Amino acid sequence: MIDLNKYIREIPNFPKEGIKYKDITPLLQSPEAIKESVAQFLELIGDEKIDKVVGIESRGFLFGMLLAEKLNAGFVPIRKPGKLPAETYSEVYELEYGKDTLEIHCDAIQKGERIILHDDVLATGGTARAACDLVKKMGAEIVQCNFLVELTFLNGRKKLNSYPVKSLLKY
């Protein structure tokens, strides 16, 4: 087992002063780190039967697709407004300074399906919570929310307290 922490680069003062950005691109450049990440995610999921993996735009698509393939499940993208071509459901959520919206195709998830929600980073939890709300409105069961990186000092897990939350790396 390799230490995935070695593949996370910290960028000071990005995207603004005082932020220590956790950059996952070194991990994405390493086939060994990618394989190890997928293996660890699969271990966290265990023997759960999963129908769909839902990935949040856009970095949630990266490992979301890999997990869907390994789980023999479908993949569903959740995107920013206007990016999906068919009819969508929308969820508006609060940001620190304003609001944003996520969308999902209306036919992407069927009632009763078992879902893994995936994104690269769990920060404040607002985006992940909005994605969970979209999935729940469609009548699906969220089996787990999983993340490559969790920024624990931002307490995003609290917004997801009604779901199992798993992350590979915590800072």
Side-chain angles (χ1 to χ4, degrees):
M1 179 150 68
I2 63 175
D3 181 3
L4 296 176
N5 286 292
K6 293 179 181 176
Y7 295 89
I8 305 299
R9 175 172 48 199
E10 188 171 280
I11 309 291
N13 302 313
F14 183 84
K16 62 183 184 179
E17 190 69 31
I19 303 291
K20 294 178 182 176
Y21 184 79
K22 302 297 185 192
D23 180 15
I24 69 167
T25 56
L27 186 145
L28 298 175
Q29 294 167 6
S30 166
E32 296 83 14
I34 292 169
K35 287 177 191 171
E36 180 64 25
S37 298
V38 171
Q40 287 186 30
F41 278 127
L42 292 172
E43 190 174 309
L44 293 177
I45 295 165
D47 294 332
E48 296 281 356
K49 163 74 173 98
I50 305 301
D51 297 302
K52 304 263 174 70
V53 176
V54 174
I56 300 172
E57 183 169 328
S58 65
R59 290 177 302 219
F61 299 172
L62 301 172
F63 283 102
M65 285 287 298
L66 294 171
L67 291 173
E69 188 271 329
K70 294 289 187 189
L71 294 166
N72 196 33
F75 176 79
V76 177
I78 286 186
R79 304 216 51 199
K80 299 290 184 182
K83 303 282 186 174
L84 294 171
E87 185 179 354
T88 60
Y89 294 123
S90 298
E91 185 71 26
V92 177
Y93 62 103
E94 298 290 328
L95 297 170
E96 188 175 351
Y97 300 106
K99 295 182 181 195
D100 208 347
T101 305
L102 293 176
E103 293 184 340
I104 191 170
H105 275 140
C106 293
D107 61 355
I109 295 173
Q110 305 306 309
K111 186 175 183 177
E113 286 188 316
R114 295 172 52 80
I115 305 297
I116 293 287
L117 183 87
H118 175 76
D119 205 359
D120 65 325
V121 175
L122 174 59
T124 63
T127 304
R129 181 60 200 217
C132 287
D133 291 347
L134 273 175
V135 169
K136 290 302 283 183
K137 283 181 184 177
M138 298 176 85
E141 175 189 354
I142 297 172
V143 175
Q144 185 181 105
C145 298
N146 67 35
F147 305 90
L148 181 62
V149 172
E150 181 177 353
L151 304 176
T152 57
F153 61 93
L154 293 175
N155 298 313
R157 187 178 281 261
K158 287 184 180 177
K159 289 187 180 166
L160 303 173
N161 61 4
S162 52
Y163 307 106
V165 175
K166 306 284 183 174
S167 52
L168 299 187
L169 302 169
K170 295 180 182 178
Y171 298 99

